[in-house]
Amino acid sequence: MNIVLMGCPGAGKGTQSAKLQEELKLKHISTGDVLRAEIASGSELGKKIAGIINAGNLVPDELMISMLENIVKSTDAGIIFDGFPRTVAQAEALNAMLKRFHREISAVIMINLPESEVVKRITSRRQCKKCGAIVHVDPAAPATVCPDCGGELYTRADDTAERAKHRLEVYHHDTLPVKTFYQNSGKYVEINGNQTPEKVFEDLVAVLKKVK
């Protein structure tokens, strides 16, 4: 089973992917994590990627596919693609890449969320400098210490209100056409993301139980 989990920034794709990975024994590939790891390495590629992301833009297709292919060919497990594809060109390239490994997309699930809730979630998000955990804080009295390890929490460059709105603009312009692409495949399903994480997960599992 290979799944594409879609949704605008802040929809909870990462949270739900981590739960699905444990529940269904799948390999979770988060493009955000892959890119951040490359940036953290300090490589020339990482520096180039940092510049693109900090400007609120998408990483070029051929670069993302190349990085993902290295991961796909190293596992026999089913895969959850979290945050990819984001354009029709990427969706087509992903299909072609998976075909080379005798794989195909089993289901595409869109987690829907109102834009006002998206901005609220993104701007309340912090990341731990020590363990990398994502923590949601109260904007009125934001926590500064990670509840998991005690590390310092910080706001990522792409989690400010201004950047969040720009990311939504990019998302609507480039990513929503992917919805039509997958709707035509007959494997596309939408669920309500504006509910508790537990209920969203329950809905996701219910959908995937129907996938062969």
Side-chain angles (χ1 to χ4, degrees), residues 32-179:
D33 289 346
V34 170
L35 294 172
R36 281 188 285 273
E38 191 65 43
I39 292 171
S41 74
S43 67
E44 287 303 314
L45 175 59
K47 293 175 183 177
K48 180 178 179 180
I49 292 171
I52 295 170
I53 293 177
N54 288 338
N57 296 314
L58 299 177
V59 173
D61 296 352
E62 64 276 8
L63 185 56
M64 273 311 325
I65 285 291
S66 177
M67 295 175 73
L68 291 177
E69 183 169 347
N70 288 334
I71 301 174
V72 171
K73 67 184 180 183
S74 68
T75 181
D76 293 325
I79 297 170
I80 305 170
F81 291 96
D82 165 14
F84 190 90
R86 292 183 175 179
T87 67
V88 171
Q90 287 180 354
E92 293 173 338
L94 178 60
N95 282 349
M97 185 262 281
L98 289 176
K99 188 175 182 179
R100 292 198 293 273
F101 295 100
H102 307 290
R103 294 176 180 252
E104 64 177 6
I105 297 299
S106 309
V108 179
I109 305 176
M110 170 73 81
I111 302 177
N112 282 324
L113 195 66
E115 285 196 15
S116 58
E117 181 65 19
V118 171
V119 175
K120 178 181 176 182
R121 288 190 184 185
I122 290 177
T123 55
S124 69
R125 190 162 59 188
R126 302 291 185 273
Q127 185 164 24
C128 177
K129 288 184 177 181
K130 185 176 180 181
C131 72
I134 299 296
V135 179
H136 287 274
V137 302
D138 180 353
T144 58
V145 177
C146 176
D148 294 336
C149 73
E152 181 184 353
L153 297 179
Y154 74 101
T155 301
R156 298 186 310 197
D158 56 350
D159 284 346
T160 62
E162 181 181 357
R163 195 71 74 206
K165 292 175 182 177
H166 179 71
R167 289 169 67 191
L168 279 171
E169 290 175 1
V170 173
Y171 171 78
H172 287 303
H173 181 270
D174 293 338
T175 306
L176 288 185
V178 179
K179 171 180 175 178

Side-chain angles (χ1 to χ4, degrees), residues 184-203:
N184 293 335
S185 73
K187 300 177 180 179
Y188 178 87
V189 180
E190 295 187 358
I191 64 170
N192 176 18
N194 197 20
Q195 49 187 347
T196 66
E198 292 75 18
K199 185 61 172 69
V200 173
F201 182 67
E202 182 181 319
D203 290 352

